[in-house]
Amino acid sequence: MITINTFYLKSKTDKLKRFCHRYSIVILGIISLFSSEPVFCQKNCDFFYKKDSPEHCACMLLYGDKFEDADYYQGSRKSQALCDSAIALYPTFADAYYIKSIPFLKRGEFEIWKTINDKAVAYDTLAYLGYRGGVQFMFLRNYEAAIKDIETLQAIADWDDLGTIYNGEYDLEIIRALAYKGLGDSIKALDILENHLNKTNDAGLWGYYHLGVMYYRQNRYNDAMQAFLNQISSNEIADAHYYIGLIHKKRRNHTAFQESIKKAHDLYVSG
């Protein structure tokens, strides 16, 4: 497995494997956070590992014939024992630690989750460091830890796009901006978010909304209005209409204010 000390990828094949593994984490994250089934996001062990090697055997144990077995639902005694067996076969198999940790995260047992997940990060830093940073932000509101993980990944990764958090909703660079905002450094947060959107033009589901809020709080109402309109165009949410209403109120346009607030209310009620 690749660790923080040996993160450089030697060939195009290695890069392809890294890409596939990286986005399989996002898929697994989406499945695991909203459902107890299936247990795992299946992995092609023959593609990632040399056949009959210790890591291949551990991978086959974890993702093999138990993949669709209803008795091995996530967090069950059998599924956790399966992870332990994979670890016994190959003690540095990061996937096993990652999968074993998920039920503790979902149950709110964050200390146990982190103790186990830290081993996944140690044994496959590139694959799991961004995931841990996203969880530090979304679940724990540990902004400093989230920033440290994401910026460490930026320093060691040989790709520009760090990808998204575990559920695919936010790009890690947007999470980094929001973490700085959470620490009170709104100027740095805005700089990160602006640079990210200018470079990638990929705001995700709520990137323009967060950009608009940052502009609004700096009294940049024209920029905020455009950001909220972009948000509505890409993914209409009640919050964007609410802030547009506040901008209209600042401008003493009471009719537009009332219309925007009503639209925000209607969207919120409709879910």
Side-chain angles (χ1 to χ4, degrees):
M1 303 298 286
I2 298 174
T3 70
I4 193 169
N5 295 319
T6 57
F7 66 90
Y8 289 102
L9 303 176
K10 304 298 183 182
S11 67
K12 292 181 180 179
T13 301
D14 288 334
K15 290 184 178 181
L16 176 60
K17 289 179 180 179
R18 176 61 55 194
F19 175 85
C20 294
H21 182 53
R22 180 175 157 211
Y23 284 98
S24 73
I25 295 170
V26 174
I27 297 170
L28 177 55
I30 295 171
I31 295 171
S32 65
L33 285 171
F34 296 101
S35 173
S36 60
E37 299 182 83
V39 185
F40 312 124
C41 181
Q42 194 167 17
K43 186 174 185 177
N44 189 331
C45 302
D46 294 337
F47 177 76
F48 284 96
Y49 309 111
K50 183 179 179 181
K51 192 170 184 179
D52 296 328
S53 65
E55 55 265 53
H56 181 268
C57 293
C59 182
M60 289 301 297
L61 179 62
L62 199 59
Y63 298 106
D65 58 2
K66 304 293 192 303
F67 175 67
E68 295 182 352
D69 192 326
D71 289 338
Y72 287 79
Y73 63 88
Q74 188 184 86
S76 68
R77 182 174 297 178
K78 285 188 175 182
S79 72
Q80 294 298 83
L82 196 66
C83 291
D84 290 336
S85 296
I87 291 168
L89 276 175
Y90 192 64
T92 59
F93 187 42
D95 289 28
Y97 295 100
Y98 165 65
I99 292 172
K100 183 178 180 179
S101 73
I102 291 173
F104 297 103
L105 177 63
K106 293 173 69 173
R107 292 197 292 259
E109 298 180 66
F110 299 121
E111 289 187 9
I112 299 176
W113 164 79
K114 189 174 183 303
T115 298
I116 300 172
N117 188 257
D118 283 352
K119 294 182 180 180
V121 173
Y123 296 135
D124 199 343
T125 305
L126 284 175
Y128 292 111
L129 188 59
Y131 162 77
R132 188 178 69 183
V135 171
Q136 298 271 25
F137 177 88
M138 297 296 290
F139 282 82
L140 306 181
R141 291 296 188 258
N142 188 338
Y143 302 126
E144 292 179 344
I147 291 169
K148 182 178 179 181
D149 280 349
I150 295 170
E151 292 185 347
T152 299
L153 182 59
Q154 285 179 320
I156 66 175
D158 65 344
W159 56 75
D160 292 328
D161 178 12
L162 297 182
T164 66
I165 59 173
Y166 52 87
N167 59 11
E169 291 182 350
Y170 282 101
D171 190 285
L172 283 173
E173 189 69 347
I174 296 178
I175 290 294
R176 187 167 78 98
L178 296 178
Y180 274 108
K181 179 185 174 185
L183 291 175
D185 194 342
S186 58
I187 294 176
K188 187 172 182 66
L190 180 57
D191 182 62
I192 292 171
L193 190 50
E194 283 181 327
N195 287 338
H196 172 71
L197 295 178
N198 288 335
K199 183 172 65 175
T200 67
N201 199 32
D202 181 11
L205 292 176
W206 297 290
Y208 287 121
Y209 165 72
H210 290 295
L211 181 65
V213 172
M214 291 182 192
Y215 283 143
Y216 179 84
R217 293 182 178 174
Q218 294 187 18
N219 300 323
R220 295 171 58 178
Y221 300 127
N222 290 336
D223 291 331
M225 176 67 81
Q226 186 58 56
F228 291 130
L229 290 175
N230 289 341
Q231 178 64 54
I232 291 169
S233 176
S234 62
N235 177 36
E236 188 174 22
I237 58 175
D239 305 66
H241 287 284
Y242 172 76
Y243 271 97
I244 287 175
L246 295 184
I247 294 172
H248 286 310
K249 186 177 181 181
K250 291 282 186 181
R251 294 172 172 173
R252 301 183 184 281
N253 188 338
H254 297 295
T255 299
F257 163 71
Q258 291 174 347
E259 290 174 350
S260 295
I261 295 301
K262 183 179 185 304
K263 181 64 174 178
H265 174 267
D266 292 345
L267 279 173
Y268 178 79
V269 170
S270 66

